Amino acid sequence: MKLARKPLKLGILFSLSGSYGMLSRASRRGALRAIDAVNADDSFDFTFDAIQRDPAGNIDLYAPLCREILEEGSVAHVIGCVTSWSRKEVIPVLEKLGATLWYSVPYEGFEASDHVVYTHACPNQHLLPLLGWVLPRFGVRGYLTGSNYIWGWEVNRVAREVVQEAGGEILGERYLALNDTDISRMIEEIRVTRPNFVLNSLVGVSSYAFLKAFADLAKTDSYFTPESCPVLSCNLTESEFTEIGDAAEGLISAGPYFRGAQGWPCQGVRDFESSLEAASWAAVMELSQLLSANPGLETAPISKLLSVNALPTMINTETHHTALPVLIAQVKDGAFDVLELSKDITADPYLSYSERRPAVRRPSLRVVK
């Protein structure tokens, strides 16, 4: 007679509404899909019970709701948060209660918490390869946009350094508060300065408004078409296409996965809507493998789980980041078309490796046929 499987509680902390709700819902779908897969797999001697909370885009609710999840009966792991602001809000709670956040969204790097596992890309896995591909092809005069918090600040800071090291210049740099859609000044500056590319580090509704206004600009001035002045992004995914519509055409992005593409280490599953869904799936599946290999350590810190784990793992035991493929893709006819692919790029969250500036030479990625 088969023994009953042990129920384990797993926290889910995503905002289902607010300015970045589309990103959160995509991430949540991936996590819940993976939970269903684990629960349907009898090879695991446990099942996951999702304990969900929705901060509704209110930054002040992340920490108390995270605490609420963790105090609901031996919850040690939480899949969640989209913005870096929200991630940093919950880290003190995780530290106090000895829990782990599995963060499945691209971020700006320069962090390696003992209480966070980073299953999406950091700058040497998105921004540097993206600029390394774009600068030799389009030029080194850039314009930077960003949401006015740590993601926008840090991504643009690194981009500025890369462009300057390549002998280029930044012609303008503007920020908007989250939820702000007044992009008229940005668009006018771009029209006047005529950069070779625009790096869009806006988030949510701010990004959607910008892309639509930029597409309108291209209709009146052919210089701003993707062929001469593309918009670049490290965080925009297919999960947002329904809101952006045709304004996404021509956008060039970097990430570990695009819908239907090869490369992501997700156990053969390739029909995710976007990298956000895929990264959340990977987080839950990696956690399930670690717990299965280490019975009795369900509430142990992630550092303990990794130190006793005898199985291969996608997680670096020192930084808690993951090695990921890097794909460069462009939106064509409403879908990302992969231009180049590099596999198994080790995360370098502090950009400490000697080979960390691909923008100053021709990219070494191979062409995907």
Side-chain angles (χ1 to χ4, degrees), residues 14 27 79-81 102-106 117-120 275-276 279-280 283:
F14 288 113
S27 298
I79 316 294
C81 297
W102 294 71
Y103 187 70
S104 56
V105 179
V117 177
Y118 309 81
T119 65
H120 211 297
S275 65
L276 302 182
S280 289

Side-chain angles (χ1 to χ4, degrees), residues 10-321:
L10 177 60
I12 305 291
L13 184 64
F14 288 113
S15 289
L16 303 185
S17 58
S19 64
Y20 48 89
M22 297 186 79
L23 289 77
S24 296
R25 292 192 293 273
S27 298
R28 176 177 174 269
R29 281 194 299 273
L32 294 180
R33 184 176 172 187
I35 288 172
D36 288 343
V38 170
N39 292 349
D41 188 346
D42 288 338
S43 68
F44 293 107
D45 62 1
F46 56 83
T47 59
F48 282 134
D49 178 18
I51 308 301
Q52 302 191 56
R53 294 294 185 273
D54 174 13
N58 185 341
I59 192 64
D60 294 329
L61 293 180
Y62 276 91
L65 289 181
C66 182
R67 177 181 292 276
E68 192 174 295
I69 288 173
L70 296 176
E71 291 178 343
E72 190 168 321
S74 301
V75 179
H77 297 273
V78 177
I79 316 294
C81 297
V82 163
T83 66
S84 290
W85 192 359
S86 60
R87 184 187 71 253
K88 290 182 180 294
E89 283 290 309
V90 304
I91 286 177
V93 177
L94 301 167
E95 291 173 342
K96 185 171 184 178
L97 298 180
T100 300
L101 174 72
W102 294 71
Y103 187 70
S104 56
V105 179
Y107 91 113
E108 68 285 341
F110 301 96
E111 181 180 292
S113 170
D114 285 340
H115 296 272
V116 180
V117 177
Y118 309 81
T119 65
H120 211 297
C122 63
N124 80 300
Q125 298 167 315
H126 55 63
L127 178 62
L128 298 191
L130 178 61
L131 293 176
W133 192 90
V134 167
L135 297 188
R137 291 166 172 83
F138 291 92
V140 293
R141 300 169 67 249
Y143 187 97
L144 309 179
T145 75
S147 289
N148 195 21
Y149 78 113
I150 189 169
W151 162 261
W153 304 333
E154 286 299 299
V155 169
N156 286 344
R157 179 183 66 81
V158 174
R160 191 184 318 114
E161 292 178 4
V162 170
V163 168
Q164 290 172 348
E165 288 179 11
E169 63 177 320
I170 298 303
L171 304 179
E173 183 172 348
R174 291 286 174 187
Y175 295 89
L176 290 180
L178 288 170
N179 299 312
D180 192 348
T181 58
D182 183 6
I183 45 71
S184 57
R185 187 172 182 182
M186 286 181 177
I187 294 295
E188 178 59 17
E189 285 190 347
I190 290 168
R191 186 190 68 80
V192 171
T193 57
R194 306 179 83 77
N196 299 132
F197 66 88
V198 177
L199 178 61
N200 173 24
S201 297
L202 295 162
V203 174
V205 295
S206 301
S207 180
Y208 312 152
F210 174 80
L211 290 170
K212 291 173 182 177
F214 191 88
D216 288 340
L217 175 62
K219 293 175 183 177
T220 63
D221 188 336
S222 61
Y223 177 80
F224 296 102
T225 58
E227 292 74 25
S228 56
C229 182
V231 176
L232 317 180
S233 175
C234 297
N235 63 327
L236 191 140
T237 73
E238 297 92 332
S239 64
E240 300 165 278
F241 279 1
T242 55
E243 177 62 32
I244 302 168
D246 293 342
E249 284 295 307
L251 179 137
I252 301 175
S253 186
Y257 170 89
F258 293 100
R259 188 170 189 175
Q262 305 285 325
W264 182 277
C266 289
Q267 302 179 4
V269 179
R270 295 195 178 96
D271 61 340
F272 299 107
E273 178 187 61
S274 71
S275 65
L276 302 182
E277 186 178 343
S280 289
W281 162 281
V284 174
M285 298 308 295
E286 187 70 13
L287 173 60
S288 67
Q289 295 292 340
L290 287 172
L291 295 179
S292 182
N294 299 283
L297 294 181
E298 293 86 359
T299 60
I302 186 62
S303 56
K304 175 68 172 178
L305 273 175
L306 293 174
S307 68
V308 301
N309 178 49
L311 298 176
T313 177
M314 62 188 281
I315 306 168
N316 181 287
T317 56
E318 293 183 357
T319 68
H320 296 171
H321 288 65

